[in-house]
Amino acid sequence: MLSALLAVVALVAVGTSPAAADPDGKYPTLSAHHHDDDDDYYDDYYDDDDAPPSERGPTGYSLVLPKGAIESSLTAPHHDYPAIDIAVAAGTPFYAVTSGTATRLYQAGGCGNGVTLRGDDGAKYTYCHATRISAVGRVANGQRLGLTGSTGDATGPHLHLQIAYPASTLRCPKALLVALSKGTAPPPVERLPTSGCSY
């Protein structure tokens, strides 16, 4: 115990911060520029693999991010096709919007680290720019899929979400996310518009 205390005093005396002496990165500070997929810090900080019960809807759909994280981005248009970019700090957990089968996705540019969720509703949900992927295979709605980041083609940390139904027909996710954030029944995916949320 005394030797550990002396080591910290010595580090401070030479101007080195305790955080620099923490090889596991366990200090409670999230870095928006951290992309180490092998870092277990986020798993320790967010130790719940599922969305909070209050954020699970009775309709078989769940919020993709904690409620407070998505509301500021729901009205912002996507830049070039029907999708949504939700600005959120790196390391924020994201969740399966519905039950289905999750597959890991990786592109050196573009999506970066991501997940494709083949929903039981027949839609394909694509999540991009993750720092870490934590679930593949069969998932339940509200199950944590990974942690947000800015991998791939991204200028800052955010979660990109797109919905395809049927096949490759992209649909704007906004009405679905707005309904879930308000706790109301979401529209069927086949009724989501194919335009109007991009420029």
Side-chain angles (χ1 to χ4, degrees):
M1 181 70 154
L2 180 59
S3 61
L5 179 60
L6 291 174
V8 170
V9 170
L11 287 171
V12 172
V14 297
T16 304
S17 71
D22 179 33
D24 294 325
K26 301 294 183 184
Y27 284 82
T29 303
L30 292 178
S31 169
H33 303 289
H34 188 87
H35 304 300
D36 183 0
D37 287 345
D38 295 324
D39 188 353
D40 291 330
Y41 165 70
Y42 295 124
D43 281 343
D44 292 339
Y45 193 79
Y46 296 109
D47 58 3
D48 182 6
D49 284 342
D50 297 326
S54 62
E55 296 186 358
R56 291 184 179 198
T59 60
Y61 291 87
S62 296
L63 289 173
V64 296
L65 289 165
K67 187 174 181 178
I70 68 171
E71 292 179 337
S72 63
S73 298
L74 291 181
T75 59
H78 188 264
H79 48 92
D80 52 4
Y81 54 88
I84 192 166
D85 288 333
I86 305 169
V88 65
T92 303
F94 64 93
Y95 305 100
V97 68
T98 191
S99 59
T101 302
T103 304
R104 183 184 299 269
L105 173 66
Y106 177 74
Q107 298 172 346
C111 190
N113 292 319
V115 173
T116 297
L117 173 62
R118 301 277 180 176
D120 291 336
D121 60 1
K124 180 176 78 171
Y125 300 87
T126 303
Y127 303 75
C128 296
H129 311 307
T131 295
R132 189 180 188 106
I133 305 303
S134 57
V136 293
R138 186 72 191 164
V139 296
N141 73 299
Q143 184 172 341
R144 192 177 80 177
L145 296 179
L147 303 171
T148 60
S150 57
T151 60
D153 186 8
T155 57
H158 69 281
L159 179 69
H160 170 95
L161 176 68
Q162 66 187 50
I163 301 172
Y165 183 91
S168 59
T169 301
L170 293 180
R171 296 184 178 271
C172 183
K174 288 182 183 176
L176 174 68
L177 297 179
V178 168
L180 293 173
S181 71
K182 291 181 177 179
T184 59
V189 287
E190 62 269 22
R191 293 189 186 169
L192 294 174
T194 57
S195 61
C197 67
S198 59
Y199 59 87

